[in-house]
Amino acid sequence: MTGGTRGIGRAIVEQLLELGARVLVVARTQPDVDNAITELGVAGVAADVTIAADRARIVAAARAHGPLHVLVHNAGTNVRSPLVGYDDATIERLIAINLTSPLLLSRDLHPLLRDAKDASVVHVGSVAGLTALPTGVAYAAAKAGLAQAARTLALEWARDGIRVNTVAPWYTRTPLVEPILADPARLAAILARTPLARIAEPREVAAAVAFLAMPAASYITGQCLAVDGGMSIQGLAPT
Ligand SMILES: NC(=O)c1ccc[n+]([C@@H]2O[C@H](COP(=O)([O-])OP(=O)(O)OC[C@H]3O[C@@H](n4cnc5c(N)ncnc54)[C@H](OP(=O)(O)O)[C@@H]3O)[C@@H](O)[C@H]2O)c1
């Protein structure tokens, strides 16, 4: 479980624990990982998913726990800017965390997923990868790539009993988007675009991830489930 110490990731960890899973939490900040270990009773690795040596430590820690039944790629971030405002490093960092790292980690964990015989990989994407939003092209393109990667891997790994799906949230109340939600004008614009007229709570995104991880979703693979209060199906808002 990458990015499991706060926000959506923390809610996913809590739901997986409620369902009886043993969870390995990955995030960069050691004290936050230590808190998760103490407060939730999980295992933890302080590691940056964009660094190869850190990914090797994640794989080693996962291997110590045996077959891997559920892999959730949730670590992600965004820097909002028009394309011409990005420097090279920022574009590369956004693609690395949101797209390249999940692919590399999935590849390296494939033997453990295959050994589980009935495994589920869940990508936490974004509606920014499904439709055009003024959110920054690097993030949007990476999240679109992540949803497509789920489709391609679902096909590739079906024979190994590994399902691969994406959950695509819209605005969800987490530290990542706190500054945006604190701006009354931006919040009003988001709510006007959301048929359910509210921001998602992290547990509502986590519920979709947990469902796709469970045997209840055993015939679902290669899909992208938007958890967006109806944002992506709205054609013309009622006036
Ligand atoms: N919140 C939203 O409105 C929203 C909407 C659509 C999609 N999403 C997606 O949902 C996911 C979770 O978002 P969130 O809002 O919960 O974010 P968040 O509150 O910023 O939490 C991000 C989590 O990922 C970890 N993380 C960040 N970079 C990492 C790295 N390089 N290596 C390992 N762990 C890393 C963070 O811990 P450390 O900082 O300690 O590493 C933290 O545990 C992201 O993929 C995001 O793109 C969020």
Side-chain angles (χ1 to χ4, degrees):
M1 168 74 222
T2 70
T5 52
R6 62 172 186 267
I8 291 170
R10 170 85 176 207
I12 295 169
V13 171
E14 289 171 355
Q15 292 210 12
L16 292 177
L17 289 172
E18 273 171 32
L19 291 165
R22 287 184 300 131
V23 180
L24 175 67
V25 167
V26 175
R28 292 166 302 178
T29 311
Q30 184 76 60
D32 292 352
V33 173
D34 291 343
N35 281 345
I37 293 170
T38 311
E39 288 170 14
L40 300 173
V42 295
V45 186
D48 184 332
V49 295
T50 65
I51 296 174
D54 283 20
R55 285 194 302 274
R57 290 195 295 112
I58 297 168
V59 173
R63 196 178 291 127
H65 293 276
L68 183 61
H69 293 91
V70 175
L71 170 60
V72 181
H73 292 297
N74 169 75
T77 197
N78 194 11
V79 177
R80 291 175 171 78
S81 166
L83 178 60
V84 294
Y86 284 121
D87 58 24
D88 293 14
T90 304
I91 292 183
E92 280 163 12
R93 185 165 65 83
L94 290 174
I95 303 283
I97 185 167
N98 291 300
L99 178 59
T100 317
S101 307
L103 289 185
L104 295 174
L105 209 43
S106 279
R107 180 197 63 188
D108 295 346
L109 288 167
H110 175 256
L112 292 178
L113 292 163
R114 192 190 47 212
D115 288 352
K117 303 221 175 339
D118 183 12
S120 171
V121 180
V122 184
H123 296 174
V124 178
S126 170
V127 287
L130 309 181
T131 189
L133 297 168
T135 189
V137 68
Y139 178 82
K143 291 296 193 183
L146 195 61
Q148 183 55 32
R151 297 181 193 104
T152 305
L153 282 181
L155 189 60
E156 220 173 274
W157 287 0
R159 75 193 71 174
D160 296 324
I162 304 168
R163 298 181 294 105
V164 191
N165 292 288
T166 303
V167 167
W170 173 230
Y171 278 98
T172 307
R173 203 171 297 286
T174 74
L176 183 67
V177 294
E178 240 167 43
I180 295 174
L181 302 182
D183 176 340
R186 292 177 85 176
L187 178 61
I190 292 163
L191 295 180
R193 188 71 183 77
T194 310
L196 289 182
R198 64 179 177 80
I199 300 300
E201 295 301 327
R203 65 183 153 68
E204 296 179 295
V205 179
V209 174
F211 165 65
L212 290 168
M214 286 193 296
S218 56
Y219 207 55
I220 301 175
T221 194
Q223 301 304 306
C224 180
L225 177 56
V227 179
D228 67 353
M231 185 280 263
S232 59
I233 51 85
Q234 176 175 274
L236 184 64
T239 51

PDB file of all heavy atoms in Angstrom, residues 145-180:
ATOM      1  N   GLY A 145      -2.431   7.651 -18.276  1.00  0.00           N
ATOM      2  CA  GLY A 145      -1.556   6.512 -18.536  1.00  0.00           C
ATOM      3  C   GLY A 145      -1.745   5.405 -17.517  1.00  0.00           C
ATOM      4  O   GLY A 145      -1.713   4.216 -17.857  1.00  0.00           O
ATOM      5  N   LEU A 146      -1.968   5.789 -16.276  1.00  0.00           N
ATOM      6  CA  LEU A 146      -2.153   4.793 -15.212  1.00  0.00           C
ATOM      7  C   LEU A 146      -3.432   3.978 -15.442  1.00  0.00           C
ATOM      8  O   LEU A 146      -3.444   2.758 -15.249  1.00  0.00           O
ATOM      9  CB  LEU A 146      -2.209   5.530 -13.867  1.00  0.00           C
ATOM     10  CG  LEU A 146      -2.043   4.699 -12.606  1.00  0.00           C
ATOM     11  CD1 LEU A 146      -0.692   3.999 -12.562  1.00  0.00           C
ATOM     12  CD2 LEU A 146      -2.220   5.588 -11.373  1.00  0.00           C
ATOM     13  N   ALA A 147      -4.503   4.669 -15.876  1.00  0.00           N
ATOM     14  CA  ALA A 147      -5.751   3.952 -16.158  1.00  0.00           C
ATOM     15  C   ALA A 147      -5.572   3.015 -17.352  1.00  0.00           C
ATOM     16  O   ALA A 147      -6.074   1.883 -17.360  1.00  0.00           O
ATOM     17  CB  ALA A 147      -6.879   4.954 -16.427  1.00  0.00           C
ATOM     18  N   GLN A 148      -4.826   3.471 -18.350  1.00  0.00           N
ATOM     19  CA  GLN A 148      -4.575   2.605 -19.509  1.00  0.00           C
ATOM     20  C   GLN A 148      -3.670   1.445 -19.123  1.00  0.00           C
ATOM     21  O   GLN A 148      -3.842   0.311 -19.596  1.00  0.00           O
ATOM     22  CB  GLN A 148      -3.956   3.403 -20.660  1.00  0.00           C
ATOM     23  CG  GLN A 148      -3.733   2.579 -21.927  1.00  0.00           C
ATOM     24  CD  GLN A 148      -5.016   1.902 -22.420  1.00  0.00           C
ATOM     25  OE1 GLN A 148      -6.122   2.439 -22.245  1.00  0.00           O
ATOM     26  NE2 GLN A 148      -4.886   0.717 -23.000  1.00  0.00           N
ATOM     27  N   ALA A 149      -2.706   1.692 -18.244  1.00  0.00           N
ATOM     28  CA  ALA A 149      -1.819   0.621 -17.777  1.00  0.00           C
ATOM     29  C   ALA A 149      -2.635  -0.476 -17.090  1.00  0.00           C
ATOM     30  O   ALA A 149      -2.336  -1.667 -17.233  1.00  0.00           O
ATOM     31  CB  ALA A 149      -0.774   1.185 -16.820  1.00  0.00           C
ATOM     32  N   ALA A 150      -3.684  -0.082 -16.359  1.00  0.00           N
ATOM     33  CA  ALA A 150      -4.533  -1.091 -15.702  1.00  0.00           C
ATOM     34  C   ALA A 150      -5.200  -1.984 -16.749  1.00  0.00           C
ATOM     35  O   ALA A 150      -5.283  -3.205 -16.578  1.00  0.00           O
ATOM     36  CB  ALA A 150      -5.584  -0.415 -14.830  1.00  0.00           C
ATOM     37  N   ARG A 151      -5.652  -1.383 -17.859  1.00  0.00           N
ATOM     38  CA  ARG A 151      -6.314  -2.186 -18.906  1.00  0.00           C
ATOM     39  C   ARG A 151      -5.313  -3.150 -19.540  1.00  0.00           C
ATOM     40  O   ARG A 151      -5.603  -4.338 -19.739  1.00  0.00           O
ATOM     41  CB  ARG A 151      -6.915  -1.266 -19.970  1.00  0.00           C
ATOM     42  CG  ARG A 151      -7.999  -0.371 -19.432  1.00  0.00           C
ATOM     43  CD  ARG A 151      -8.601   0.521 -20.529  1.00  0.00           C
ATOM     44  NE  ARG A 151      -9.400   1.561 -19.887  1.00  0.00           N
ATOM     45  CZ  ARG A 151      -9.023   2.834 -19.744  1.00  0.00           C
ATOM     46  NH1 ARG A 151      -7.871   3.268 -20.261  1.00  0.00           N
ATOM     47  NH2 ARG A 151      -9.780   3.702 -19.108  1.00  0.00           N
ATOM     48  N   THR A 152      -4.153  -2.631 -19.880  1.00  0.00           N
ATOM     49  CA  THR A 152      -3.156  -3.467 -20.560  1.00  0.00           C
ATOM     50  C   THR A 152      -2.667  -4.583 -19.637  1.00  0.00           C
ATOM     51  O   THR A 152      -2.559  -5.747 -20.044  1.00  0.00           O
ATOM     52  CB  THR A 152      -1.975  -2.592 -21.024  1.00  0.00           C
ATOM     53  OG1 THR A 152      -2.485  -1.536 -21.831  1.00  0.00           O
ATOM     54  CG2 THR A 152      -0.977  -3.400 -21.841  1.00  0.00           C
ATOM     55  N   LEU A 153      -2.388  -4.242 -18.369  1.00  0.00           N
ATOM     56  CA  LEU A 153      -1.904  -5.263 -17.433  1.00  0.00           C
ATOM     57  C   LEU A 153      -2.993  -6.270 -17.081  1.00  0.00           C
ATOM     58  O   LEU A 153      -2.693  -7.438 -16.825  1.00  0.00           O
ATOM     59  CB  LEU A 153      -1.385  -4.602 -16.152  1.00  0.00           C
ATOM     60  CG  LEU A 153       0.008  -3.979 -16.237  1.00  0.00           C
ATOM     61  CD1 LEU A 153       0.403  -3.392 -14.888  1.00  0.00           C
ATOM     62  CD2 LEU A 153       1.045  -5.012 -16.681  1.00  0.00           C
ATOM     63  N   ALA A 154      -4.254  -5.797 -17.058  1.00  0.00           N
ATOM     64  CA  ALA A 154      -5.358  -6.729 -16.783  1.00  0.00           C
ATOM     65  C   ALA A 154      -5.342  -7.860 -17.807  1.00  0.00           C
ATOM     66  O   ALA A 154      -5.537  -9.038 -17.479  1.00  0.00           O
ATOM     67  CB  ALA A 154      -6.689  -5.988 -16.820  1.00  0.00           C
ATOM     68  N   LEU A 155      -5.073  -7.492 -19.057  1.00  0.00           N
ATOM     69  CA  LEU A 155      -5.010  -8.478 -20.137  1.00  0.00           C
ATOM     70  C   LEU A 155      -3.777  -9.375 -19.970  1.00  0.00           C
ATOM     71  O   LEU A 155      -3.853 -10.596 -20.080  1.00  0.00           O
ATOM     72  CB  LEU A 155      -4.941  -7.698 -21.445  1.00  0.00           C
ATOM     73  CG  LEU A 155      -5.071  -8.462 -22.744  1.00  0.00           C
ATOM     74  CD1 LEU A 155      -6.410  -9.173 -22.810  1.00  0.00           C
ATOM     75  CD2 LEU A 155      -4.945  -7.481 -23.919  1.00  0.00           C
ATOM     76  N   GLU A 156      -2.646  -8.720 -19.690  1.00  0.00           N
ATOM     77  CA  GLU A 156      -1.377  -9.439 -19.596  1.00  0.00           C
ATOM     78  C   GLU A 156      -1.358 -10.430 -18.428  1.00  0.00           C
ATOM     79  O   GLU A 156      -0.788 -11.507 -18.520  1.00  0.00           O
ATOM     80  CB  GLU A 156      -0.280  -8.391 -19.384  1.00  0.00           C
ATOM     81  CG  GLU A 156       1.010  -8.657 -20.139  1.00  0.00           C
ATOM     82  CD  GLU A 156       1.955  -7.473 -19.983  1.00  0.00           C
ATOM     83  OE1 GLU A 156       1.850  -6.511 -20.776  1.00  0.00           O
ATOM     84  OE2 GLU A 156       2.792  -7.502 -19.088  1.00  0.00           O
ATOM     85  N   TRP A 157      -1.989 -10.036 -17.320  1.00  0.00           N
ATOM     86  CA  TRP A 157      -1.847 -10.800 -16.073  1.00  0.00           C
ATOM     87  C   TRP A 157      -3.068 -11.650 -15.716  1.00  0.00           C
ATOM     88  O   TRP A 157      -3.074 -12.314 -14.680  1.00  0.00           O
ATOM     89  CB  TRP A 157      -1.526  -9.848 -14.927  1.00  0.00           C
ATOM     90  CG  TRP A 157      -0.107  -9.313 -15.002  1.00  0.00           C
ATOM     91  CD1 TRP A 157       0.837  -9.594 -15.942  1.00  0.00           C
ATOM     92  CD2 TRP A 157       0.521  -8.402 -14.082  1.00  0.00           C
ATOM     93  NE1 TRP A 157       2.010  -8.926 -15.671  1.00  0.00           N
ATOM     94  CE2 TRP A 157       1.851  -8.190 -14.544  1.00  0.00           C
ATOM     95  CE3 TRP A 157       0.099  -7.760 -12.926  1.00  0.00           C
ATOM     96  CZ2 TRP A 157       2.742  -7.346 -13.866  1.00  0.00           C
ATOM     97  CZ3 TRP A 157       0.990  -6.932 -12.253  1.00  0.00           C
ATOM     98  CH2 TRP A 157       2.294  -6.724 -12.719  1.00  0.00           C
ATOM     99  N   ALA A 158      -4.101 -11.631 -16.570  1.00  0.00           N
ATOM    100  CA  ALA A 158      -5.300 -12.428 -16.259  1.00  0.00           C
ATOM    101  C   ALA A 158      -4.929 -13.895 -16.068  1.00  0.00           C
ATOM    102  O   ALA A 158      -5.434 -14.578 -15.169  1.00  0.00           O
ATOM    103  CB  ALA A 158      -6.327 -12.273 -17.380  1.00  0.00           C
ATOM    104  N   ARG A 159      -4.007 -14.383 -16.901  1.00  0.00           N
ATOM    105  CA  ARG A 159      -3.616 -15.806 -16.830  1.00  0.00           C
ATOM    106  C   ARG A 159      -2.921 -16.133 -15.515  1.00  0.00           C
ATOM    107  O   ARG A 159      -2.812 -17.292 -15.131  1.00  0.00           O
ATOM    108  CB  ARG A 159      -2.722 -16.156 -18.015  1.00  0.00           C
ATOM    109  CG  ARG A 159      -1.311 -15.621 -17.899  1.00  0.00           C
ATOM    110  CD  ARG A 159      -0.555 -15.702 -19.179  1.00  0.00           C
ATOM    111  NE  ARG A 159      -1.081 -14.724 -20.143  1.00  0.00           N
ATOM    112  CZ  ARG A 159      -0.562 -14.461 -21.314  1.00  0.00           C
ATOM    113  NH1 ARG A 159       0.490 -15.105 -21.727  1.00  0.00           N
ATOM    114  NH2 ARG A 159      -1.080 -13.562 -22.099  1.00  0.00           N
ATOM    115  N   ASP A 160      -2.424 -15.102 -14.823  1.00  0.00           N
ATOM    116  CA  ASP A 160      -1.782 -15.306 -13.522  1.00  0.00           C
ATOM    117  C   ASP A 160      -2.768 -15.108 -12.366  1.00  0.00           C
ATOM    118  O   ASP A 160      -2.354 -15.104 -11.196  1.00  0.00           O
ATOM    119  CB  ASP A 160      -0.615 -14.320 -13.338  1.00  0.00           C
ATOM    120  CG  ASP A 160       0.495 -14.562 -14.355  1.00  0.00           C
ATOM    121  OD1 ASP A 160       0.745 -15.730 -14.697  1.00  0.00           O
ATOM    122  OD2 ASP A 160       1.105 -13.568 -14.806  1.00  0.00           O
ATOM    123  N   GLY A 161      -4.037 -14.912 -12.694  1.00  0.00           N
ATOM    124  CA  GLY A 161      -5.040 -14.697 -11.648  1.00  0.00           C
ATOM    125  C   GLY A 161      -4.908 -13.337 -10.982  1.00  0.00           C
ATOM    126  O   GLY A 161      -5.323 -13.154  -9.835  1.00  0.00           O
ATOM    127  N   ILE A 162      -4.334 -12.369 -11.713  1.00  0.00           N
ATOM    128  CA  ILE A 162      -4.155 -11.028 -11.138  1.00  0.00           C
ATOM    129  C   ILE A 162      -5.098 -10.062 -11.839  1.00  0.00           C
ATOM    130  O   ILE A 162      -5.021  -9.880 -13.061  1.00  0.00           O
ATOM    131  CB  ILE A 162      -2.697 -10.535 -11.321  1.00  0.00           C
ATOM    132  CG1 ILE A 162      -1.703 -11.528 -10.710  1.00  0.00           C
ATOM    133  CG2 ILE A 162      -2.530  -9.141 -10.700  1.00  0.00           C
ATOM    134  CD1 ILE A 162      -0.247 -11.251 -11.100  1.00  0.00           C
ATOM    135  N   ARG A 163      -6.002  -9.455 -11.072  1.00  0.00           N
ATOM    136  CA  ARG A 163      -6.885  -8.424 -11.621  1.00  0.00           C
ATOM    137  C   ARG A 163      -6.238  -7.055 -11.424  1.00  0.00           C
ATOM    138  O   ARG A 163      -5.529  -6.846 -10.439  1.00  0.00           O
ATOM    139  CB  ARG A 163      -8.247  -8.461 -10.915  1.00  0.00           C
ATOM    140  CG  ARG A 163      -8.984  -9.771 -11.091  1.00  0.00           C
ATOM    141  CD  ARG A 163     -10.343  -9.762 -10.399  1.00  0.00           C
ATOM    142  NE  ARG A 163     -10.250  -9.688  -8.955  1.00  0.00           N
ATOM    143  CZ  ARG A 163     -10.501  -8.608  -8.230  1.00  0.00           C
ATOM    144  NH1 ARG A 163     -10.899  -7.481  -8.809  1.00  0.00           N
ATOM    145  NH2 ARG A 163     -10.383  -8.632  -6.917  1.00  0.00           N
ATOM    146  N   VAL A 164      -6.471  -6.144 -12.365  1.00  0.00           N
ATOM    147  CA  VAL A 164      -5.884  -4.804 -12.265  1.00  0.00           C
ATOM    148  C   VAL A 164      -6.957  -3.768 -12.617  1.00  0.00           C
ATOM    149  O   VAL A 164      -7.536  -3.820 -13.710  1.00  0.00           O
ATOM    150  CB  VAL A 164      -4.670  -4.630 -13.216  1.00  0.00           C
ATOM    151  CG1 VAL A 164      -3.926  -3.326 -12.894  1.00  0.00           C
ATOM    152  CG2 VAL A 164      -3.707  -5.812 -13.122  1.00  0.00           C
ATOM    153  N   ASN A 165      -7.242  -2.871 -11.707  1.00  0.00           N
ATOM    154  CA  ASN A 165      -8.289  -1.863 -11.913  1.00  0.00           C
ATOM    155  C   ASN A 165      -7.829  -0.494 -11.404  1.00  0.00           C
ATOM    156  O   ASN A 165      -6.847  -0.397 -10.656  1.00  0.00           O
ATOM    157  CB  ASN A 165      -9.562  -2.271 -11.154  1.00  0.00           C
ATOM    158  CG  ASN A 165     -10.223  -3.505 -11.733  1.00  0.00           C
ATOM    159  OD1 ASN A 165     -10.819  -3.461 -12.805  1.00  0.00           O
ATOM    160  ND2 ASN A 165     -10.098  -4.639 -11.036  1.00  0.00           N
ATOM    161  N   THR A 166      -8.576   0.520 -11.790  1.00  0.00           N
ATOM    162  CA  THR A 166      -8.278   1.893 -11.366  1.00  0.00           C
ATOM    163  C   THR A 166      -9.489   2.500 -10.674  1.00  0.00           C
ATOM    164  O   THR A 166     -10.623   2.281 -11.103  1.00  0.00           O
ATOM    165  CB  THR A 166      -7.929   2.758 -12.604  1.00  0.00           C
ATOM    166  OG1 THR A 166      -6.839   2.163 -13.292  1.00  0.00           O
ATOM    167  CG2 THR A 166      -7.552   4.182 -12.198  1.00  0.00           C
ATOM    168  N   VAL A 167      -9.229   3.264  -9.636  1.00  0.00           N
ATOM    169  CA  VAL A 167     -10.254   4.118  -9.031  1.00  0.00           C
ATOM    170  C   VAL A 167      -9.863   5.558  -9.336  1.00  0.00           C
ATOM    171  O   VAL A 167      -8.704   5.944  -9.140  1.00  0.00           O
ATOM    172  CB  VAL A 167     -10.331   3.885  -7.504  1.00  0.00           C
ATOM    173  CG1 VAL A 167     -11.153   4.970  -6.822  1.00  0.00           C
ATOM    174  CG2 VAL A 167     -10.921   2.509  -7.218  1.00  0.00           C
ATOM    175  N   ALA A 168     -10.806   6.328  -9.856  1.00  0.00           N
ATOM    176  CA  ALA A 168     -10.514   7.706 -10.255  1.00  0.00           C
ATOM    177  C   ALA A 168     -11.334   8.685  -9.409  1.00  0.00           C
ATOM    178  O   ALA A 168     -12.508   8.918  -9.685  1.00  0.00           O
ATOM    179  CB  ALA A 168     -10.825   7.892 -11.746  1.00  0.00           C
ATOM    180  N   PRO A 169     -10.697   9.260  -8.378  1.00  0.00           N
ATOM    181  CA  PRO A 169     -11.436  10.220  -7.549  1.00  0.00           C
ATOM    182  C   PRO A 169     -11.498  11.602  -8.181  1.00  0.00           C
ATOM    183  O   PRO A 169     -10.649  11.979  -8.988  1.00  0.00           O
ATOM    184  CB  PRO A 169     -10.605  10.302  -6.247  1.00  0.00           C
ATOM    185  CG  PRO A 169      -9.502   9.296  -6.370  1.00  0.00           C
ATOM    186  CD  PRO A 169      -9.360   8.977  -7.826  1.00  0.00           C
ATOM    187  N   TRP A 170     -12.503  12.346  -7.761  1.00  0.00           N
ATOM    188  CA  TRP A 170     -12.613  13.796  -7.987  1.00  0.00           C
ATOM    189  C   TRP A 170     -12.194  14.428  -6.663  1.00  0.00           C
ATOM    190  O   TRP A 170     -11.575  13.730  -5.844  1.00  0.00           O
ATOM    191  CB  TRP A 170     -14.048  14.075  -8.413  1.00  0.00           C
ATOM    192  CG  TRP A 170     -14.613  15.462  -8.586  1.00  0.00           C
ATOM    193  CD1 TRP A 170     -15.801  15.912  -8.040  1.00  0.00           C
ATOM    194  CD2 TRP A 170     -14.131  16.540  -9.396  1.00  0.00           C
ATOM    195  NE1 TRP A 170     -16.055  17.195  -8.462  1.00  0.00           N
ATOM    196  CE2 TRP A 170     -15.041  17.614  -9.291  1.00  0.00           C
ATOM    197  CE3 TRP A 170     -13.002  16.712 -10.200  1.00  0.00           C
ATOM    198  CZ2 TRP A 170     -14.882  18.836  -9.938  1.00  0.00           C
ATOM    199  CZ3 TRP A 170     -12.832  17.933 -10.852  1.00  0.00           C
ATOM    200  CH2 TRP A 170     -13.754  18.981 -10.719  1.00  0.00           C
ATOM    201  N   TYR A 171     -12.486  15.680  -6.408  1.00  0.00           N
ATOM    202  CA  TYR A 171     -11.962  16.337  -5.204  1.00  0.00           C
ATOM    203  C   TYR A 171     -12.358  15.590  -3.926  1.00  0.00           C
ATOM    204  O   TYR A 171     -13.540  15.315  -3.713  1.00  0.00           O
ATOM    205  CB  TYR A 171     -12.423  17.795  -5.136  1.00  0.00           C
ATOM    206  CG  TYR A 171     -11.554  18.678  -5.997  1.00  0.00           C
ATOM    207  CD1 TYR A 171     -11.955  19.032  -7.284  1.00  0.00           C
ATOM    208  CD2 TYR A 171     -10.316  19.106  -5.541  1.00  0.00           C
ATOM    209  CE1 TYR A 171     -11.143  19.814  -8.081  1.00  0.00           C
ATOM    210  CE2 TYR A 171      -9.493  19.893  -6.341  1.00  0.00           C
ATOM    211  CZ  TYR A 171      -9.910  20.234  -7.601  1.00  0.00           C
ATOM    212  OH  TYR A 171      -9.092  20.995  -8.390  1.00  0.00           O
ATOM    213  N   THR A 172     -11.353  15.268  -3.129  1.00  0.00           N
ATOM    214  CA  THR A 172     -11.511  14.485  -1.910  1.00  0.00           C
ATOM    215  C   THR A 172     -10.791  15.220  -0.788  1.00  0.00           C
ATOM    216  O   THR A 172      -9.680  15.734  -1.006  1.00  0.00           O
ATOM    217  CB  THR A 172     -10.885  13.086  -2.118  1.00  0.00           C
ATOM    218  OG1 THR A 172     -11.434  12.512  -3.311  1.00  0.00           O
ATOM    219  CG2 THR A 172     -11.153  12.170  -0.935  1.00  0.00           C
ATOM    220  N   ARG A 173     -11.422  15.285   0.381  1.00  0.00           N
ATOM    221  CA  ARG A 173     -10.898  16.125   1.473  1.00  0.00           C
ATOM    222  C   ARG A 173      -9.621  15.522   2.075  1.00  0.00           C
ATOM    223  O   ARG A 173      -9.703  14.670   2.955  1.00  0.00           O
ATOM    224  CB  ARG A 173     -11.974  16.273   2.550  1.00  0.00           C
ATOM    225  CG  ARG A 173     -11.831  17.497   3.423  1.00  0.00           C
ATOM    226  CD  ARG A 173     -13.033  17.696   4.322  1.00  0.00           C
ATOM    227  NE  ARG A 173     -14.274  17.945   3.608  1.00  0.00           N
ATOM    228  CZ  ARG A 173     -14.583  19.091   2.996  1.00  0.00           C
ATOM    229  NH1 ARG A 173     -13.739  20.080   2.982  1.00  0.00           N
ATOM    230  NH2 ARG A 173     -15.755  19.224   2.382  1.00  0.00           N
ATOM    231  N   THR A 174      -8.458  15.924   1.546  1.00  0.00           N
ATOM    232  CA  THR A 174      -7.157  15.434   2.040  1.00  0.00           C
ATOM    233  C   THR A 174      -6.174  16.608   2.090  1.00  0.00           C
ATOM    234  O   THR A 174      -6.422  17.658   1.488  1.00  0.00           O
ATOM    235  CB  THR A 174      -6.557  14.372   1.105  1.00  0.00           C
ATOM    236  OG1 THR A 174      -6.060  15.030  -0.071  1.00  0.00           O
ATOM    237  CG2 THR A 174      -7.540  13.289   0.715  1.00  0.00           C
ATOM    238  N   PRO A 175      -5.015  16.410   2.757  1.00  0.00           N
ATOM    239  CA  PRO A 175      -4.008  17.482   2.803  1.00  0.00           C
ATOM    240  C   PRO A 175      -3.579  17.947   1.409  1.00  0.00           C
ATOM    241  O   PRO A 175      -3.239  19.119   1.222  1.00  0.00           O
ATOM    242  CB  PRO A 175      -2.831  16.826   3.542  1.00  0.00           C
ATOM    243  CG  PRO A 175      -3.465  15.769   4.390  1.00  0.00           C
ATOM    244  CD  PRO A 175      -4.635  15.258   3.593  1.00  0.00           C
ATOM    245  N   LEU A 176      -3.619  17.056   0.414  1.00  0.00           N
ATOM    246  CA  LEU A 176      -3.163  17.407  -0.934  1.00  0.00           C
ATOM    247  C   LEU A 176      -3.958  18.571  -1.529  1.00  0.00           C
ATOM    248  O   LEU A 176      -3.412  19.419  -2.222  1.00  0.00           O
ATOM    249  CB  LEU A 176      -3.265  16.180  -1.855  1.00  0.00           C
ATOM    250  CG  LEU A 176      -2.772  16.336  -3.290  1.00  0.00           C
ATOM    251  CD1 LEU A 176      -1.264  16.531  -3.331  1.00  0.00           C
ATOM    252  CD2 LEU A 176      -3.161  15.113  -4.133  1.00  0.00           C
ATOM    253  N   VAL A 177      -5.261  18.600  -1.280  1.00  0.00           N
ATOM    254  CA  VAL A 177      -6.098  19.625  -1.919  1.00  0.00           C
ATOM    255  C   VAL A 177      -6.655  20.641  -0.917  1.00  0.00           C
ATOM    256  O   VAL A 177      -7.492  21.469  -1.284  1.00  0.00           O
ATOM    257  CB  VAL A 177      -7.251  18.972  -2.740  1.00  0.00           C
ATOM    258  CG1 VAL A 177      -6.676  18.193  -3.908  1.00  0.00           C
ATOM    259  CG2 VAL A 177      -8.128  18.092  -1.881  1.00  0.00           C
ATOM    260  N   GLU A 178      -6.165  20.592   0.328  1.00  0.00           N
ATOM    261  CA  GLU A 178      -6.626  21.549   1.354  1.00  0.00           C
ATOM    262  C   GLU A 178      -6.547  23.001   0.889  1.00  0.00           C
ATOM    263  O   GLU A 178      -7.515  23.754   1.038  1.00  0.00           O
ATOM    264  CB  GLU A 178      -5.778  21.377   2.616  1.00  0.00           C
ATOM    265  CG  GLU A 178      -6.563  21.004   3.843  1.00  0.00           C
ATOM    266  CD  GLU A 178      -5.624  20.542   4.945  1.00  0.00           C
ATOM    267  OE1 GLU A 178      -4.581  21.189   5.131  1.00  0.00           O
ATOM    268  OE2 GLU A 178      -5.934  19.527   5.586  1.00  0.00           O
ATOM    269  N   PRO A 179      -5.411  23.420   0.281  1.00  0.00           N
ATOM    270  CA  PRO A 179      -5.322  24.829  -0.122  1.00  0.00           C
ATOM    271  C   PRO A 179      -6.369  25.209  -1.169  1.00  0.00           C
ATOM    272  O   PRO A 179      -6.858  26.341  -1.170  1.00  0.00           O
ATOM    273  CB  PRO A 179      -3.904  24.935  -0.724  1.00  0.00           C
ATOM    274  CG  PRO A 179      -3.166  23.734  -0.260  1.00  0.00           C
ATOM    275  CD  PRO A 179      -4.182  22.678   0.015  1.00  0.00           C
ATOM    276  N   ILE A 180      -6.726  24.275  -2.045  1.00  0.00           N
ATOM    277  CA  ILE A 180      -7.737  24.564  -3.070  1.00  0.00           C
ATOM    278  C   ILE A 180      -9.119  24.672  -2.425  1.00  0.00           C
ATOM    279  O   ILE A 180      -9.875  25.609  -2.693  1.00  0.00           O
ATOM    280  CB  ILE A 180      -7.725  23.460  -4.153  1.00  0.00           C
ATOM    281  CG1 ILE A 180      -6.386  23.486  -4.882  1.00  0.00           C
ATOM    282  CG2 ILE A 180      -8.891  23.620  -5.123  1.00  0.00           C
ATOM    283  CD1 ILE A 180      -6.189  22.363  -5.861  1.00  0.00           C
TER     284      ILE A 180
END
